[in-house]
Amino acid sequence: MKKTNWMIALLFSVGMLYAADDVKIMKYQYAGPYEVRKPVMADSLNVNGKAFELKNLLKSSLSFEQALKSATLLDADTAGSVTFSALEGKNALHVLSFNLNTDRYVKGTLEVSGPGSFEVFVDNKSVPNTSELSMEPRPYQVVVKYLSTEKDTCPPSLKAVFKAKKETNVTTSVDADRFYGLLDIIEGKTFRSVSVSPNGKYVLVRYTNRLADGTSDFFTQLMDAATGTILVQDKGFINSAYWMPASSRLYYTRTGSKGIELVAVNPATMQEEILSSNLPKGNFNFTPDESSLLFTVDEEGPKESADITRILEPQDRLPGFRNRSFIWRYDLSTGLFEQLTFGHHATYINDVSADSRYMLFSTSERVYTSRPFSRSSLYMLDLHTMAVDTLWESASFVSRAVFSKDGKQLLVNGSADAFGGIGLNIKEGQISNTYDAQLFLYDIATKKVTALTKDFDPSISAAVWNKYDGQIYFSATDQDYQRVFVCNPSNGKISQLGTKEDVISSFSLAQTAPVMYYYGQSVSNTNRLYAYDVKTNRNRLIYDLSAERLENVVFGDVSDWNFTSEDGTTIQGRYYLPPNFDVTKKYSMIVYYYGGTTPTDRSLEHRYSMHMYAALGYVVYTLNPSGTIGYGQEFSARHVNAWGIKTADEIIKGTELFCREHPFVDEKKVGCIGASYGGFMTQYLQTRTDIFAAAVSHAGISALSSYWGYGYWGYGYCSVANADSYPWNNWELFVEQSPLFHADKINTPLLLLHGGVDTNVPIGESIQMFNALKLLGKTVEFIRVEGENHGIAAYKKRIAWQNSIFAWFAKWLRDEPEWWDAQYPERTL
């Protein structure tokens, strides 16, 4: 008797388990009824000999989005059936909607039934009334368009149920709340650039609208800078228009009856003026006085033949390397087009003085026998007399220079090693990280150089010497922020501007007014556009893209979390919690770390957006270990000749400490991911520790020597990352720090992903590691994304690539192999 009762209880519990997988829809959003009338019967039969039927009215369409804006809530009865009112004696359409939500990959059957005629749509795509669904972890909107007719004998009603193939936690909802996902990153409207007119009265804001089919639409707005009012929105000429430097008119080119026309447009009246016809082809910029155009004209270099190429030097492998560019001037008053520079080396315009008298131009030559494998020379050309003054020749670590307002000084970008290392601020024995960019002042008369940012920890991104107030404005990587600063060149004092976002993507200054426009984003919002008064330091929000792009998106909390490394350094990081986080539960965790030497900043729209992974139910921890720029020269110099030394220890310690201090993390279910140098770190970490349950390496480096020698940019990047170290003079670095030579120590399931035509990190880096782990009998998967370079860009391929990562973590961190198996079913060849 006891045994029988036990069996009955077991059967009952199992029955309840399976019943729980049948998700009845108990609440609906409802809109309607909308009367639809029969057409006028010009004939009793149509061209196919068929009579009109009331069910044909279901073909009438309406906007679900618009209808549901005025929806009400309907409850189903205990059996799951919902009833709604018809229009007595009339025909009407009704719209009912609900969401199916899942935090994992699920297969199941959606069954919708009712006495009338209806159509079912899942995410706006028509599906059968009984349809098989394969759902990825995100909300799916189900909409039913229902037709009630004048001949119905019973009230309209509907019943919907989702039957999963196995136990799952699919839920249903009627609210619009949703979690952040991949499509939020790769679709929707975003800023492309912002440009303030020189007089500060107008602003050009360019947009990219990324569509659901993978294509993009481009348009531009002309705004009144003072009010933010949109004056013009266009996809035509304004999309390719730029500001003239003196008159603050717009200019663009078009094909006219006499060839290429240069057209100026008055932004106040939109009146056009043709400045020149039969313009030469090529890219150009106005001189500041608007009298001339300076063109960059390319000349094609020699070739051996279509089939044979003699590689003359390492960079000769790069497409277009043999081509050269030179500077030409077009005089707008006479139409004279004359060549200003000539030679074997290409010449590059740096700047033109405010009086249009002098032009800075540079040349570059390769010097492969010493870092940084190139030297640059800077010249000042008198555009009136063609006299040339050599400012410096064969200088290392210098990139670009621009004039001060009075033309007496130059603002120079470079690394701390420039000008004999006067900007260095590192410890004895260190080699500087030349990606840690600095600013210098150069006095033209005395040729004296001053290091402006030697004691300034952030790394310079972009700088402009403003003509309005004579101050230098620049953006800089400041730890995991991107901020805007101003420097007084007379005393070197640097101040931070009070911009509103964590990561400033772009800024533009007026040249004769205290007007700046910028846009940026933060950890939990996308881009916002602001006006900024550089006199009063006041911000004004112009356009918040988050308001429309992130409507109804629910984010989890983000918190900073730092720890102290073995040498006493504070290693900064932060963590992201899933939406609806429950501190009493155990969560799997994903650890992300930088690629190259750039910090993981606080932007939302990141290729490996932490919120995107948190929305899937993971805790996400990211950190900026030793070697990262933005934390000072000494900190960034730790990147050089390291390749995982110290950095790996910090990642391991940080992960272990985080798990210890946060009991909601399941320390047995921690994964890690990185790309490029971060992909190398993924592979290297697995040779050092078994704390990770799954690992993902995108475009990772497995052997330092093959990467150094084969990739287009290998030896160039290595001039920074392993400065003055080569396979013949530091074999220990090249072997001991290469994951391939320690592949036998890897026990973590490893996913390798790589673009099939990656010119930065050649795909051979993943092939080598894949072959090694296969021969060793280790758990490894290798996904090659055909036709893609270092980053996966194509819309459909990006989704498939990202889903591969999601599914890999689901399989190993959550014991849910279904998604991976659906994408990559087991097979033998």
Side-chain angles (χ1 to χ4, degrees):
M1 185 64 180
K2 290 181 180 180
K3 182 177 181 180
T4 303
N5 288 338
W6 174 82
M7 292 179 67
I8 291 173
L10 176 62
L11 289 171
F12 179 76
S13 65
V14 171
M16 289 298 290
L17 176 64
Y18 282 103
D21 291 335
D22 291 351
V23 180
K24 291 181 182 178
I25 313 307
M26 302 302 292
K27 289 183 180 294
Y28 295 80
Q29 281 190 313
Y30 170 80
Y34 302 98
E35 183 182 359
V36 285
R37 289 169 289 189
K38 293 184 292 185
V40 175
M41 299 298 173
D43 296 291
S44 59
L45 300 177
N46 66 11
V47 71
N48 294 310
K50 294 184 178 181
F52 177 80
E53 299 178 84
L54 286 177
K55 66 180 182 181
N56 292 350
L57 295 175
L58 191 60
K59 295 178 182 177
S60 303
S61 63
L62 48 78
S63 168
F64 298 152
E65 181 180 6
Q66 189 170 339
L68 290 169
K69 287 181 179 178
S70 57
T72 57
L73 195 63
L74 292 183
D75 291 318
D77 59 26
T78 54
S81 181
V82 63
T83 303
F84 39 97
S85 298
L87 282 178
E88 187 174 352
K90 295 180 180 181
N91 309 301
L93 291 178
H94 310 257
V95 179
L96 298 99
S97 174
F98 60 89
N99 297 326
L100 289 173
N101 312 302
T102 176
D103 64 352
R104 67 198 67 189
Y105 182 82
V106 172
K107 284 186 175 183
T109 304
L110 175 64
E111 296 179 356
V112 182
S113 57
S117 299
F118 57 87
E119 287 183 312
V120 182
F121 299 83
V122 177
D123 286 350
N124 289 316
K125 293 181 180 178
S126 179
V127 300
N129 297 349
T130 298
S131 54
E132 298 296 317
L133 299 182
S134 296
M135 299 196 302
E136 297 168 2
R138 62 177 179 85
Y140 286 77
Q141 184 188 41
V142 180
V143 176
V144 180
K145 183 175 68 171
Y146 190 103
L147 174 68
S148 62
T149 75
E150 59 192 29
K151 293 185 178 181
D152 289 347
T153 57
C154 59
S157 64
L158 198 71
K159 183 177 181 180
V161 62
F162 179 78
K163 299 180 178 180
K165 298 295 184 183
K166 59 179 292 186
E167 182 185 1
T168 184
N169 63 342
V170 173
T171 60
T172 179
S173 66
V174 291
D175 58 44
D177 288 351
R178 59 187 182 86
F179 298 155
Y180 193 70
L182 174 62
L183 297 185
D184 290 301
I185 300 175
I186 65 175
E187 292 181 3
K189 184 164 60 178
T190 189
F191 299 117
R192 189 156 44 105
S193 66
V194 60
S195 177
V196 180
S197 63
N199 62 10
K201 293 182 178 180
Y202 303 97
V203 186
L204 279 178
V205 184
R206 305 190 196 278
Y207 295 83
T208 300
N209 192 19
R210 300 163 298 188
L211 306 177
D213 62 358
T215 61
S216 292
D217 186 30
F218 305 97
F219 67 93
T220 300
Q221 292 174 343
L222 174 65
M223 290 182 175
D224 182 292
T227 64
T229 303
I230 298 171
L231 304 175
V232 177
Q233 179 166 309
D234 191 24
K235 297 181 182 180
F237 82 90
I238 203 170
N239 249 347
S240 58
Y242 296 91
W243 293 112
M244 295 177 65
S247 61
S248 288
R249 290 183 293 173
L250 294 165
Y251 73 89
Y252 72 101
T253 59
R254 69 187 180 197
T255 302
S257 59
K258 298 180 181 180
I260 299 174
E261 296 178 340
L262 174 62
V263 183
V265 181
N266 185 331
T269 64
M270 299 307 291
Q271 183 176 352
E272 293 188 350
E273 177 188 357
I274 298 176
L275 300 179
S276 181
S277 298
N278 200 22
L279 205 67
K281 292 182 179 179
N283 298 317
F284 64 86
N285 288 298
F286 275 90
T287 54
D289 62 3
E290 298 183 358
S291 66
S292 303
L293 307 177
L294 296 177
F295 278 78
T296 299
V297 179
D298 290 335
E299 294 182 8
E300 190 171 328
K303 296 180 180 178
E304 282 75 25
S305 72
D307 302 318
I308 297 294
T309 300
R310 177 192 175 197
I311 304 298
L312 299 175
E313 56 182 274
Q315 281 193 295
D316 197 17
R317 296 186 301 139
L318 276 64
F321 169 71
R322 296 188 180 187
N323 299 340
R324 299 291 186 267
S325 62
F326 297 98
I327 304 165
W328 290 62
R329 175 172 58 184
Y330 180 84
D331 188 289
L332 284 168
S333 62
T334 65
L336 175 65
F337 189 48
E338 60 178 336
Q339 187 170 0
L340 298 182
T341 61
F342 173 88
H344 178 74
H345 297 293
T347 54
Y348 308 96
I349 300 172
N350 281 228
D351 197 17
V352 178
S353 60
D355 60 4
S356 297
R357 177 74 184 265
Y358 299 99
M359 179 182 74
L360 294 174
F361 73 92
S362 59
T363 63
S364 179
E365 59 181 330
R366 277 86 51 210
V367 180
Y368 293 108
T369 55
S370 62
R371 284 193 316 124
F373 307 132
S374 67
R375 303 284 185 270
S376 67
S377 300
L378 186 72
Y379 306 95
M380 186 168 65
L381 172 65
D382 188 324
L383 292 171
H384 291 183
T385 66
M386 295 297 290
V388 178
D389 184 10
T390 300
L391 300 182
W392 61 72
E393 280 190 308
S394 299
S396 301
F397 305 105
V398 179
S399 56
R400 186 173 179 269
V402 296
F403 281 110
S404 60
K405 181 180 179 179
D406 60 9
K408 296 180 179 180
Q409 291 179 298
L410 302 181
L411 176 65
V412 183
N413 294 66
S415 71
D417 296 90
F419 303 110
I422 64 170
L424 287 170
N425 187 4
I426 55 180
K427 291 181 179 179
E428 185 176 352
Q430 282 188 314
I431 298 175
S432 77
N433 181 337
T434 56
Y435 288 137
D436 199 332
Q438 306 293 316
L439 290 176
F440 302 86
L441 277 185
Y442 180 95
D443 186 274
I444 295 175
T446 65
K447 296 190 177 183
K448 179 184 176 182
V449 183
T450 304
L452 275 180
T453 54
K454 178 178 180 178
D455 299 313
F456 182 69
D457 285 346
S459 175
I460 312 303
S461 301
V464 58
W465 204 325
N466 187 241
K467 293 179 174 59
Y468 167 74
D469 57 11
Q471 303 295 290
I472 297 168
Y473 292 82
F474 61 91
S475 60
T477 301
D478 184 11
Q479 300 180 358
D480 55 358
Y481 294 82
Q482 187 76 12
R483 289 171 165 147
V484 181
F485 299 85
V486 59
C487 174
N488 185 333
S490 63
N491 58 23
K493 182 180 177 181
I494 297 174
S495 304
Q496 180 185 326
L497 297 189
T499 50
K500 289 291 187 180
E501 301 296 334
D502 293 344
V503 179
I504 306 304
S505 303
S506 180
F507 75 95
S508 176
L509 284 155
Q511 291 299 309
T512 59
V515 179
M516 183 177 88
Y517 265 65
Y518 71 91
Y519 63 86
Q521 57 187 269
S522 298
V523 287
S524 299
N525 65 268
T526 190
N527 282 316
R528 294 170 173 149
L529 178 68
Y530 295 85
Y532 188 88
D533 189 316
V534 300
K535 226 177 192 180
T536 64
N537 294 318
R538 290 180 180 174
N539 287 279
R540 189 172 79 255
L541 178 64
I542 300 297
Y543 186 14
D544 181 4
L545 280 177
S546 290
E548 56 190 72
R549 290 194 53 200
L550 301 179
E551 185 179 10
N552 302 317
V553 172
V554 178
F555 290 106
D557 291 337
V558 182
S559 301
D560 292 340
W561 186 82
N562 307 328
F563 71 93
T564 304
S565 67
E566 295 297 334
D567 64 2
T569 302
T570 297
I571 303 299
Q572 293 187 350
R574 60 188 182 277
Y575 65 94
Y576 296 67
L577 296 177
N580 304 323
F581 173 74
D582 184 346
V583 72
T584 65
K585 293 183 178 179
K586 285 281 190 180
Y587 291 87
S588 304
M589 185 170 79
I590 295 172
V591 181
Y592 178 79
Y593 27 78
Y594 70 76
T597 186
T598 305
T600 304
D601 65 30
R602 304 175 75 90
S603 58
L604 170 66
E605 293 180 341
H606 189 268
R607 182 169 287 269
Y608 299 90
S609 175
M610 272 53 79
H611 270 304
M612 179 175 63
Y613 288 92
L616 296 175
Y618 299 101
V619 172
V620 183
Y621 167 51
T622 186
L623 68 161
N624 288 310
S626 289
T628 317
I629 63 171
Y631 292 85
Q633 290 188 43
E634 188 281 326
F635 194 86
S636 66
R638 300 179 186 185
H639 181 74
V640 183
N641 285 315
W643 287 95
I645 298 172
K646 187 183 286 288
T647 305
D649 293 334
E650 290 169 355
I651 294 172
I652 293 168
K653 180 175 181 179
T655 302
E656 291 177 333
L657 282 175
F658 189 91
C659 292
R660 194 178 307 157
E661 293 185 15
H662 300 89
F664 52 78
V665 174
D666 184 348
E667 63 181 10
K668 300 297 184 183
K669 294 293 184 181
V670 177
C672 61
I673 182 172
S676 194
Y677 187 91
F680 155 80
M681 281 304 308
T682 289
Q683 296 181 32
Y684 180 71
L685 281 167
Q686 310 325 305
T687 71
R688 294 282 312 279
T689 183
D690 290 333
I691 65 172
F692 298 109
V696 176
S697 167
H698 174 77
I701 299 157
S702 63
L704 302 192
S705 56
S706 55
Y707 167 68
W708 165 83
Y710 186 51
Y712 276 4
W713 322 113
Y715 80 91
Y717 178 76
C718 289
S719 72
V720 181
N722 33 289
D724 297 326
S725 291
Y726 303 97
W728 54 86
N729 70 3
N730 195 348
W731 64 267
E732 184 175 4
L733 174 72
F734 279 80
V735 174
E736 288 302 313
Q737 298 310 116
S738 293
L740 182 65
F741 292 91
H742 300 279
D744 58 322
K745 299 174 184 175
I746 295 178
N747 299 309
T748 307
L750 176 62
L751 173 62
L752 303 164
L753 303 112
H754 224 115
V757 291
D758 192 332
T759 55
N760 187 335
V761 177
I763 194 172
E765 295 301 312
S766 285
I767 293 172
Q768 293 177 127
M769 180 57 75
F770 177 72
N771 290 347
L773 295 178
K774 275 294 184 181
L775 294 177
L776 288 164
K778 306 285 185 163
T779 302
V780 62
E781 292 280 358
F782 178 28
I783 304 298
R784 181 177 64 199
V785 188
E786 306 295 350
E788 292 295 295
N789 207 304
H790 197 50
I792 310 304
Y795 179 83
K796 290 184 179 179
K797 295 176 185 178
R798 173 99 181 257
I799 293 174
W801 167 80
Q802 188 65 71
N803 283 346
S804 298
I805 297 172
F806 289 156
W808 184 254
F809 282 138
K811 178 177 181 176
W812 295 103
L813 301 186
R814 297 173 61 167
D815 299 320
E816 298 168 8
E818 292 83 5
W819 199 358
W820 180 267
D821 294 342
Q823 293 181 72
Y824 306 107
E826 285 296 325
R827 65 181 181 185
T828 56
L829 300 178

